[in-house]
């Protein structure tokens, strides 16, 4: 039986996954308050997908695998907001 924490983790993972896939497909961040600050939507989408994968795998994988994956996703999301866009983008 799922606990409340597991159910919430699955819901957040599904949300991150949906937002990441949407961003990767359309090239536009779905969250309106982030559209101006995200300079590289593709990197941001990959970061959210990595975070979704880490959260979805949390019940299966050990802590030493989940945390680095989650931190990698957070770093990618931060990089997408801080970096300068490529020329022509």
């Amino acid at each position: 039986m799922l606990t409340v924490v597991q159910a919430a983790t699955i819901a957040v993972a599904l949300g991150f996954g949906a937002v990441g896939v949407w961003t990767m497909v359309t090239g536009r961040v779905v969250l309106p308050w982030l559209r101006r600050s995200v300079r590289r939507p593709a990197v941001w989408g990959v970061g959210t997908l990595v975070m979704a994968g880490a959260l979805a795998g949390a019940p299966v994988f050990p802590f030493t695998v989940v945390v680095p994956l989650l931190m990698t996703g957070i770093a990618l999301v931060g990089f997408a907001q801080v970096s300068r866009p490529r020329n022509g983008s």
Side-chain angles (χ1 to χ4, degrees), residues 31-54:
L31 306 170
W33 60 87
L34 288 176
R35 284 188 188 140
R36 287 188 179 180
S37 66
V38 175
R39 296 179 179 157
R40 291 189 180 205
V43 176
W44 192 87
V46 169
T48 56
L49 286 174
V50 170
M51 287 191 296

Side-chain angles (χ1 to χ4, degrees), residues 4-89:
V4 175
V5 174
Q6 287 175 331
T9 303
I10 290 170
V12 170
L14 287 173
F16 277 161
V19 168
V21 168
W22 181 268
T23 301
M24 293 296 296
V25 169
T26 64
R28 186 172 182 207
V29 178
V30 72
L31 306 170
W33 60 87
L34 288 176
R35 284 188 188 140
R36 287 188 179 180
S37 66
V38 175
R39 296 179 179 157
R40 291 189 180 205
V43 176
W44 192 87
V46 169
T48 56
L49 286 174
V50 170
M51 287 191 296
L55 290 173
V60 179
F61 296 122
F63 187 73
T64 57
V65 173
V66 173
V67 171
L69 280 175
L70 195 57
M71 295 305 289
T72 301
I74 291 170
L76 286 171
V77 167
F79 175 73
Q81 292 182 339
V82 173
S83 66
R84 292 183 180 176
R86 287 182 266 160
N87 292 338
S89 296

